[in-house]
Amino acid sequence: MRVGDNLPELLVEITHRDLIRYAGAANDYLPQHWDRDMMRGDGFADVVVHGWLGCAHLCRAATAVFAPDRWVLDRYAVRYRRPLHPGPVVCGGRLVACDGETREVSGWIRDAGGATVTTASMWFAARTGGC
Amino acid sequence: MRARARIGMETPPVHFHIDRSDLRRYALACGETWPAYVDGDEAAPTFISALQTEGMGAGQLFEADLPFASMLHSDDTVEVYRPIRPGDVLTATARYCDAVLKDSTRGLMLFQTAEMLLRDGEGRAVGRVASSLVSF
């Protein structure tokens, strides 16, 4: 992969069940992720997806190229720009820098309406060296 | 602003005994398919988040009693110094870092940031995560 190349896009259908499963695995039971009545009362269309779950899917999109047996994601910075509700999302990104044994990826998540809801910078370091 | 009085506040250390099944359950909940993650040999890249609720004071670190209708997650910054593996005994310490009010098209927003540091049994840093919440 060269600088400027895009990651293959990862399409994920995030369901309410996925949020329950994630809440249990991550010990994150904040009501924003399961209390639909509360969220609608606050003006949201639905519950919001755990930011970390979206981030995890974005990491999967990147590790499809930077395979974990060769690369370790050792730093990342994520911004949750808009609430993400359950439904189909697309994760993608672009290789923005290649410096020795480090690769920098600029990633994004788009919701069903095409809005960019999450952006991230991810830095991968080679586990065993070499490009 | 009351939240700023929390800057520098720390929560007591919390210890985690990392179990293979914790790593497996987390990886599967994220839709991971990479064998080392799914088998629990190594933590998936965002597993550090699963230690945040307890490691950051079980919700006591962030100011929640605020004159805003909603609070959502806004940012995460993570540094992984070495992968988390089964059998690790980790200690989390957390600190309230900042509270900033910003004007936006949605009105006034409060951003609160806290960070958690994970160390292993020998005191070596394993990972660090800084998370921000936005109230509006």
Side-chain angles (χ1 to χ4, degrees), chain B residues 1-2 11-12 17 19 21 73-74 82 100 107 118 125:
Chain B
M1 184 174 41
R2 192 173 63 222
T11 53
H17 293 254
D19 188 80
S21 64
H73 200 167
S74 71
R82 67 136 169 103
V100 179
L118 286 178

Short mmCIF file of all heavy atoms in Angstrom, two decimals, chain B residues 1-2 11-12 17 19 21 73-74 82 100 107 118 125:
data_model
loop_
_atom_site.label_atom_id
_atom_site.label_comp_id
_atom_site.label_asym_id
_atom_site.label_seq_id
_atom_site.Cartn_x
_atom_site.Cartn_y
_atom_site.Cartn_z
N MET B 1 -16.62 27.59 37.32
CA MET B 1 -17.23 26.35 36.83
C MET B 1 -16.83 25.20 37.76
O MET B 1 -15.65 24.95 37.97
CB MET B 1 -16.74 26.09 35.40
CG MET B 1 -17.39 24.89 34.77
SD MET B 1 -16.97 24.67 33.04
CE MET B 1 -15.24 25.06 32.97
N ARG B 2 -17.85 24.52 38.28
CA ARG B 2 -17.59 23.51 39.30
C ARG B 2 -16.71 22.37 38.78
O ARG B 2 -15.88 21.82 39.51
CB ARG B 2 -18.93 22.95 39.80
CG ARG B 2 -18.78 22.11 41.04
CD ARG B 2 -20.13 21.73 41.60
NE ARG B 2 -20.88 20.91 40.67
CZ ARG B 2 -22.18 21.05 40.41
NH1 ARG B 2 -22.87 22.00 41.00
NH2 ARG B 2 -22.80 20.26 39.56
N THR B 11 -8.34 8.93 41.13
CA THR B 11 -9.13 7.86 41.74
C THR B 11 -8.18 6.79 42.28
O THR B 11 -7.05 6.66 41.82
CB THR B 11 -10.10 7.24 40.71
OG1 THR B 11 -9.36 6.85 39.56
CG2 THR B 11 -11.18 8.23 40.32
N PRO B 12 -8.64 6.03 43.28
CA PRO B 12 -7.76 5.00 43.84
C PRO B 12 -7.37 3.95 42.79
O PRO B 12 -8.15 3.68 41.87
CB PRO B 12 -8.63 4.36 44.94
CG PRO B 12 -9.71 5.35 45.21
CD PRO B 12 -9.95 6.08 43.93
N HIS B 17 -7.12 -8.58 36.85
CA HIS B 17 -6.49 -9.83 36.47
C HIS B 17 -7.08 -10.20 35.11
O HIS B 17 -8.26 -10.52 35.02
CB HIS B 17 -6.78 -10.92 37.50
CG HIS B 17 -6.13 -10.65 38.83
ND1 HIS B 17 -5.03 -11.33 39.28
CD2 HIS B 17 -6.42 -9.73 39.77
CE1 HIS B 17 -4.66 -10.85 40.46
NE2 HIS B 17 -5.50 -9.88 40.79
N ASP B 19 -8.10 -12.10 32.07
CA ASP B 19 -8.43 -13.49 31.78
C ASP B 19 -8.64 -13.68 30.28
O ASP B 19 -9.15 -12.77 29.62
CB ASP B 19 -9.73 -13.84 32.55
CG ASP B 19 -10.05 -15.30 32.48
OD1 ASP B 19 -9.46 -16.07 33.25
OD2 ASP B 19 -10.89 -15.66 31.63
N SER B 21 -10.81 -15.32 28.77
CA SER B 21 -12.22 -15.21 28.38
C SER B 21 -12.65 -13.75 28.28
O SER B 21 -13.52 -13.42 27.47
CB SER B 21 -13.12 -15.97 29.37
OG SER B 21 -13.04 -15.39 30.65
N HIS B 73 -19.86 10.86 24.42
CA HIS B 73 -18.44 10.62 24.26
C HIS B 73 -17.95 11.48 23.08
O HIS B 73 -18.61 11.52 22.05
CB HIS B 73 -18.32 9.14 23.90
CG HIS B 73 -17.01 8.52 24.12
ND1 HIS B 73 -16.86 7.15 24.08
CD2 HIS B 73 -15.80 9.02 24.34
CE1 HIS B 73 -15.59 6.85 24.28
NE2 HIS B 73 -14.92 7.97 24.44
N SER B 74 -16.84 12.19 23.23
CA SER B 74 -16.39 13.03 22.10
C SER B 74 -15.03 12.63 21.54
O SER B 74 -14.80 12.75 20.33
CB SER B 74 -16.37 14.50 22.49
OG SER B 74 -15.34 14.78 23.39
N ARG B 82 2.50 -1.93 25.07
CA ARG B 82 2.69 -3.34 24.71
C ARG B 82 1.31 -4.01 24.77
O ARG B 82 0.41 -3.54 25.48
CB ARG B 82 3.67 -4.04 25.65
CG ARG B 82 3.18 -4.19 27.09
CD ARG B 82 3.51 -5.60 27.55
NE ARG B 82 3.33 -5.82 28.97
CZ ARG B 82 2.27 -6.47 29.47
NH1 ARG B 82 1.29 -6.87 28.68
NH2 ARG B 82 2.19 -6.69 30.77
N VAL B 100 -13.50 22.26 29.85
CA VAL B 100 -13.46 23.45 29.01
C VAL B 100 -14.84 23.72 28.43
O VAL B 100 -15.48 22.81 27.88
CB VAL B 100 -12.45 23.27 27.84
CG1 VAL B 100 -12.43 24.49 26.94
CG2 VAL B 100 -11.07 22.97 28.38
N GLY B 107 -24.96 25.70 20.80
CA GLY B 107 -24.96 26.40 22.08
C GLY B 107 -23.70 26.08 22.86
O GLY B 107 -22.72 25.57 22.31
N LEU B 118 -2.37 2.41 32.63
CA LEU B 118 -2.28 1.01 33.05
C LEU B 118 -0.82 0.64 33.23
O LEU B 118 0.00 0.91 32.35
CB LEU B 118 -2.88 0.09 31.99
CG LEU B 118 -4.38 0.02 31.82
CD1 LEU B 118 -4.71 -0.94 30.68
CD2 LEU B 118 -5.06 -0.45 33.11
N ALA B 125 4.65 0.79 32.29
CA ALA B 125 3.45 1.28 31.62
C ALA B 125 3.04 0.34 30.50
O ALA B 125 3.88 -0.07 29.69
CB ALA B 125 3.70 2.68 31.08
#
